[in-house]
Amino acid sequence: MQFEEAKNKFVQTWGALGSQWGINKTMAQIHALLMVSKEPVSMEDIMQELQISRGNASMNLRGLMDWGIVYKANKPGERREFFVAEKDLDELATKIAKERSKREIKPALKVLKEVSAVDADNSEEAQHFIAQTKKLYDFVSSADEMIDKVTEYKDNWLGKLMMKILR
Amino acid sequence: MQFEEAKNKFVQTWGALGSQWGINKTMAQIHALLMVSKEPVSMEDIMQELQISRGNASMNLRGLMDWGIVYKANKPGERREFFVAEKDLDELATKIAKERSKREIKPALKVLKEVSAVDADNSEEAQHFIAQTKKLYDFVSSADEMIDKVTEYKDNWLGKLMMKILR
DNA sequence: AATAACTTTCAATTATTTTTGAAAGTTTAA
DNA sequence: TTAAACTTTCAAAAATAATTGAAAGTTATT
């Protein structure tokens, strides 16, 4: 396979995968493109390579920057802006995990706590509802904490050992 | 909050969350409904509670069964079919993880391996592409393996200890 | 073997999400 | 301060995804 072909295939695949994970296709493609680009890329180039409009490029780049996984980069002597992706994968995973936790898990936990505090009338249905939503709360909140811990532990020897054993 | 209100809020929230994770809203809602229902639920009741059509209910139930997280249940003496959700959360997480691995991670890994085997011409760009996609392959494949291991380890003492420490 | 009770399928419709592109906004340089 | 170079915004259009509902398909009952 030739370089351009491979690059294209990678970008397309990553985009399709993004859709399945609730990320819009273009955003995932831009991210993929930046991930494999050595040099910062201009908006013009992104539009060109992905065949998308200026507005689309602009909005999705903004989205990626909100996630904290793409940055602006200035090339000396150049007027326009260039973009680079966070390329360190541990760092990337950490940022995505933290952000999803903040945006989705935390609010979901709030709702779980609320609904599991429903007035316990004596119906079996209500009892079961309470038990089940409580279990769900515990489960989701320890999964959430665990992700925090795993990202922290990456830096110390015990954590690294665990990662070794686990994988 | 009253039971019906709480139940409704839970179902709605879970549905909205589903959308953000690439699962269609109705599928997530049906699953939520079944999760908190003590007794098996008929298709009629699902349609009623979620205000959806028969076809919609049928297709999404099929989808949930394909994921292996909802089963058919027969009530003695009843003609029609009833449905129950997998309610054990460890089991649920394991099934989802395994299925996503099969459907999405494995095919993505295949593509990563392919594209990282691109003809190494001497351009810096191509070199970087190869390095980056290789790293990505390693990262994704160890994350994938780790998930496997975590679900296995749940059953033995060492695993349980680790889970304790991690959380 | 006919009918009733129920489920699945799928083409057409409806709803949601994404994309476009041109106008408005911003920043730099002369 | 003006103009050129560039970016953002957002209403309208296009693309995609979900939903409906009725016909076709199944399975159990008489």
Side-chain angles (χ1 to χ4, degrees), chain A residues 118-131, chain B residues 3:
Chain A
V118 63
D119 300 334
D121 66 28
N122 36 26
S123 78
E124 294 247 307
E125 277 289 309
Q127 296 300 326
H128 181 263
F129 176 84
I130 293 169
Chain B
F3 173 51

Side-chain angles (χ1 to χ4, degrees), chain A residues 1-3 6-7 9-10 13-14 17 20-22 35-39 87 89-90 93 100 104 108 111-112 114-115 118-119 124-126 128-129 132-133 135-136 139 142 145-146 149 153 162-163 165-167, chain B residues 1-3 6-7 9-10 13-14 17 20-22 35-39 87 89-90 93 100 104 108 111-112 114-115 118-119 124-126 128-129 132-133 135-136 139 142 145-146 149 153 162-163 165-167:
Chain A
M1 212 186 322
Q2 294 307 301
F3 173 50
K7 184 166 160 186
K9 183 162 193 177
F10 171 68
T13 305
W14 228 235
L17 214 61
Q20 293 178 307
W21 285 79
M35 283 279 288
V36 296
S37 298
K38 187 165 195 192
E39 296 296 316
K87 293 200 182 72
L89 297 178
D90 284 342
R100 284 206 103 133
E104 295 148 16
V111 172
L112 279 173
E114 265 175 59
V115 301
V118 63
D119 300 334
E124 294 247 307
E125 277 289 309
H128 181 263
F129 176 84
Q132 198 64 21
T133 49
K135 269 186 212 158
L136 209 42
F139 188 84
S142 30
E145 277 168 36
M146 204 174 122
K149 293 290 185 296
Y153 273 128
M162 276 191 189
M163 302 303 284
I165 296 170
L166 280 173
R167 59 171 73 165
Chain B
M1 212 185 326
Q2 296 307 302
F3 173 51
K7 184 167 161 186
K9 184 162 191 177
F10 172 69
T13 306
W14 227 235
L17 214 61
Q20 293 178 307
W21 285 79
M35 282 280 286
V36 296
S37 299
K38 186 165 195 191
E39 296 297 315
K87 293 200 184 70
L89 297 177
D90 285 341
R100 283 206 105 133
E104 295 148 17
V111 172
L112 279 173
E114 264 175 61
V115 299
V118 61
D119 299 335
E124 293 247 307
E125 277 289 308
H128 181 263
F129 176 84
Q132 199 62 20
T133 49
K135 271 186 209 156
L136 209 42
F139 187 84
S142 30
E145 276 168 37
M146 206 175 119
K149 292 291 185 295
Y153 273 125
M162 277 192 191
M163 301 303 283
I165 296 169
L166 279 175
R167 62 169 74 168

Side-chain angles (χ1 to χ4, degrees), chain B residues 91-152:
Chain B
E91 191 60 26
L92 178 66
T94 301
K95 288 215 161 152
I96 292 175
K98 289 236 166 90
E99 199 65 22
R100 283 206 105 133
S101 169
K102 191 173 80 186
R103 295 189 194 189
E104 295 148 17
I105 317 278
K106 294 293 193 311
L109 281 173
K110 191 159 159 280
V111 172
L112 279 173
K113 192 168 233 167
E114 264 175 61
V115 299
S116 68
V118 61
D119 299 335
D121 66 26
N122 36 24
S123 78
E124 293 247 307
E125 277 289 308
Q127 295 300 326
H128 181 263
F129 176 84
I130 293 170
Q132 199 62 20
T133 49
K134 273 191 176 150
K135 271 186 209 156
L136 209 42
Y137 179 89
D138 289 343
F139 187 84
V140 173
S141 90
S142 30
D144 189 41
E145 276 168 37
M146 206 175 119
I147 285 167
D148 260 17
K149 292 291 185 295
V150 168
T151 56
E152 275 172 31

